[in-house]
Each structure stands twice: as C-alpha cells, then as structure tokens.
Amino acid sequence: MISQIIPKLPFIDKQNTIDYYKNLGFEFTADYGNYLIAVYNNSEVHFFEFKELTPAKSDFMLYLKISNNIDKFYQQIQDKKIAIHPNGSLESKSWSMKEFSLIDPAGTLLTFGEKI
C-alpha cells in the first residue's frame, strides 16, 4: 500500500535552494551534502544535486495544493518579493482551481492551487 508520495526535485546551488524554500515556509530537516529533505506541515520534498541542470531548460514541475486562503498565501509571497512566474499570476481556472506559479532557482515550476 502506498502511504505517502514524496517528490524529488533537483538543486544546482544548495544554499540558494535552502534559502528559497525556507522563504516559502519549508523547514529543512536533513542535509546529506548532495541530498536534502524539507517539510511543510505534513508534506515532504526531497532535493538531489544536479549541477549540470540548465534552469531555463528544466522540465521539473510540482503542484502544491493549498487547503485554504490562497489569496493570503499569494500576498505573503508578493510581500516577500518572491518572483511570480511571468504567466503565473493568481487567477481562477476553468478546472475549478485558483492558481499561481513560481520558478525555483533550479528552474522547477511550482504551481500552487486551491479548489474553488
């Protein structure tokens, strides 16, 4: 039985990744040099070193569901001056989700969504 799904994302510069995700509210619980583990509430994300990755060519993506008040979370992101994806401003989608997107330092697309 599957009890949990944990995404594994690349990082190029470890400290940039730690700083970026801490700014989003993640807490890093393990650092194994070329492998990191971060948590946010009951969610966990693992990071692996991929120094050869070109961020502009990255195909990595992660969808993060917000349980309530995506508007407040979006405002917090803006208040922290975290760059919003050029095509990722907060908006309601036809699939009954309100979403916005960011791109992390390794070029991973992070989309945040809340059911509407």
Side-chain angles (χ1 to χ4, degrees), residues 26-46:
F26 284 82
E27 178 184 332
F28 282 79
T29 59
D31 180 346
Y32 299 102
N34 62 354
Y35 198 86
L36 304 167
I37 298 174
V39 296
Y40 189 106
N41 293 332
N42 295 322
S43 297
E44 192 170 303
V45 179
H46 293 200

Side-chain angles (χ1 to χ4, degrees), residues 49-62:
E49 187 176 55
F50 187 174
K51 290 205 176 277
E52 299 79 23
L53 179 65
T54 302
K57 294 182 179 181
S58 175
D59 292 324
F60 291 93
M61 295 181 246
L62 186 61

Side-chain angles (χ1 to χ4, degrees), residues 39-90:
V39 296
Y40 189 106
N41 293 332
N42 295 322
S43 297
E44 192 170 303
V45 179
H46 293 200
F47 297 89
F48 62 95
E49 187 176 55
F50 187 174
K51 290 205 176 277
E52 299 79 23
L53 179 65
T54 302
K57 294 182 179 181
S58 175
D59 292 324
F60 291 93
M61 295 181 246
L62 186 61
Y63 195 97
L64 301 103
K65 288 184 87 172
I66 303 291
S67 58
N68 61 26
N69 211 340
I70 195 168
D71 296 289
K72 180 180 178 183
F73 186 66
Y74 183 72
Q75 187 59 53
Q76 290 171 345
I77 296 296
Q78 290 184 311
D79 291 347
K80 292 178 180 182
K81 307 284 190 239
I82 299 172
I84 304 298
H85 183 285
N87 299 317
S89 295
L90 185 64

